[in-house]
Amino acid sequence: MKKKKAKLMFLAAVVFELIGNFVISYTEGFTVLAPSIICLIIYGISAALFGFSLKEINLGIAYAVWSGVGIVFLAIVSVFWFKLPLTVPDIIGLVMITAGVIGMDLFGSAEEQE
């Protein structure tokens, strides 16, 4: 698998995971059938794409980017969609996470530098 294809699969995996995280809030603890099924399908697609992308992408870098993007995106969604507040420490933490994810993505892993 080519690196570009793996990165596209990784991006799709992250997008599906973000959608799944949004949908999970409507499952009410997996007691509402339709959102629960949709959520599980979306998470399954995300996990499969993530797994395939790991053939070419370093696991540590991929998981850090995946987690960081998810945290920042869901924090933003929670403010605008669910009307939940962010404190100053929350914002500082999100900025630090964003800077870390960008740094890891830009500079990559040791094997990518070779």
Side-chain angles (χ1 to χ4, degrees):
M1 175 184 318
K2 300 240 189 247
K3 190 77 154 184
K4 186 174 183 177
K5 184 176 177 182
K7 285 187 176 187
L8 287 173
M9 291 178 91
F10 175 73
L11 177 63
V14 170
V15 169
F16 274 101
E17 191 255 346
L18 295 174
I19 294 168
N21 286 340
F22 182 75
V23 172
I24 201 170
S25 63
Y26 293 100
T27 67
E28 295 182 25
F30 289 100
T31 59
V32 181
L33 186 61
S36 297
I37 291 171
I38 292 167
C39 184
L40 292 173
I41 290 169
I42 290 170
Y43 277 143
I45 293 168
S46 176
L49 290 169
F50 184 70
F52 290 134
S53 74
L54 293 179
K55 290 180 179 180
E56 295 290 331
I57 299 174
N58 176 297
L59 173 61
I61 301 295
Y63 194 73
V65 171
W66 171 311
S67 300
V69 169
I71 290 166
V72 172
F73 175 79
L74 290 175
I76 292 168
V77 166
S78 69
V79 168
F80 292 104
W81 189 268
F82 299 112
K83 306 296 186 219
L84 300 174
L86 285 179
T87 65
V88 172
D90 294 337
I91 294 167
I92 292 169
L94 291 170
V95 168
M96 292 170 59
I97 290 168
T98 303
V101 167
I102 290 170
M104 292 180 82
D105 192 46
L106 287 177
F107 299 108
S109 64
E111 63 191 33
E112 290 176 349
Q113 301 296 322
E114 297 173 355

